[in-house]
Amino acid sequence: AGDDKRIGIWATVTGKFQFWLHAENGLSAHHGAVTSLRFCPDGQLVSAGRDNVVKVWKLGEDTGSLVQVHVGRTCEVAQLGVSPDGRRILLDLGEELRILDRDSGKWLGSLNSRRHGRFQGLAEFSPSGKLVLTASTNQRLQLWRVPPTPDEIQLLRSKNDKDFQRKLPLGEIRHFSIPGASAVHAGVFAPDESVFFTGGTDKTVRVWAVPSVKNWQPIYE
């Protein structure tokens, strides 16, 4: 996918082209350049474009169909992550990054970056789904603990847990300053989440250490 607004599917073994994905009325997949594609474990595909929407596609052997459209994003985050289980997606709205249920669009939580500017460039889940890495407009990277869903919060409350507030995550775990005036466009975690890698406009790949779990205060089990 790319600036032509189309999404094409190829067979990885043979390299043979299979089909194009089409939106309503046979139009291109998006109405703007496609900036992000993510396959889900159940075979569905999540795409993000500069038309301010995230789309979910169901893929078949020789065709694909549009099953969900999530609208309203500000489109400043080109690379939008999907959780490892494929059930949660990220949607950027300026200084807010929302976590939505992929299929229903239900709001599951938010990350807010008022201190460090608007989200920009990338927002990626870690392999465990417990962390999110983001970049912002003021040359910062931020590492977040994924907030509990409304159902998880209700479960803690229903137990009348005296340590309820302590067990909720603070959100931001740590932020990192990007050297110079470069912008980060790509990031990926190591499988064990000990480090993450970033690349951007200064043509440099950097390796950053992820804080150990004991430093994710307060603890949320």
Side-chain angles (χ1 to χ4, degrees):
D3 290 342
D4 62 1
K5 309 174 187 178
R6 299 193 295 175
I7 298 174
I9 305 296
W10 280 260
T12 56
V13 175
T14 64
K16 181 181 179 181
F17 172 76
Q18 295 185 295
F19 56 89
W20 296 106
L21 293 177
H22 295 284
E24 57 280 350
N25 301 322
L27 299 176
S28 297
H30 281 264
H31 297 300
V34 182
T35 63
S36 182
L37 293 175
R38 301 299 166 93
F39 285 104
C40 300
D42 62 1
Q44 297 200 30
L45 179 71
V46 178
S47 64
R50 298 202 180 281
D51 51 0
N52 293 28
V53 300
V54 171
K55 293 186 174 183
V56 183
W57 309 83
K58 183 178 181 180
L59 303 180
E61 292 185 4
D62 55 7
T63 187
S65 58
L66 180 63
V67 296
Q68 185 63 270
V69 179
H70 302 284
V71 302
R73 53 185 295 252
T74 54
C75 207
E76 293 169 273
V77 179
Q79 297 292 322
L80 280 172
V82 176
S83 63
D85 62 5
R87 309 307 301 180
R88 294 168 294 164
I89 65 171
L90 298 173
L91 198 78
D92 57 312
L93 294 98
E95 294 179 348
E96 180 186 7
L97 188 68
R98 289 187 181 176
I99 303 171
L100 303 181
D101 180 88
R102 184 197 67 186
D103 298 328
S104 68
K106 180 182 178 181
W107 176 84
L108 300 176
S110 296
L111 306 176
N112 292 282
S113 183
R114 295 183 182 88
R115 291 188 304 151
H116 295 301
R118 299 165 70 87
F119 290 106
Q120 183 182 66
L122 67 92
E124 300 283 355
F125 278 98
S126 68
S128 70
K130 295 180 179 179
L131 299 174
V132 168
L133 171 67
T134 64
S136 61
T137 54
N138 72 342
Q139 307 304 118
R140 297 291 180 97
L141 297 169
Q142 289 172 273
L143 196 61
W144 308 81
R145 185 155 191 180
V146 174
T149 66
D151 289 342
E152 290 170 337
I153 293 175
Q154 185 60 37
L155 179 62
L156 284 175
R157 285 175 174 163
S158 67
K159 291 181 178 180
N160 294 318
D161 196 325
K162 296 180 180 179
D163 295 327
F164 169 71
Q165 293 295 334
R166 182 183 65 83
K167 290 184 177 182
L168 292 178
L170 287 173
E172 182 186 15
I173 294 173
R174 186 165 297 176
H175 64 263
F176 307 83
S177 298
I178 304 170
S182 62
V184 169
H185 295 316
V188 63
F189 285 86
D192 64 359
E193 297 185 11
S194 60
V195 298
F196 62 89
F197 305 82
T198 61
T201 56
D202 62 357
K203 304 179 182 180
T204 300
V205 175
R206 291 185 170 87
V207 186
W208 309 80
V210 175
S212 61
V213 176
K214 65 182 181 181
N215 293 319
W216 298 1
Q217 298 294 335
I219 300 300
Y220 172 71
E221 300 296 348

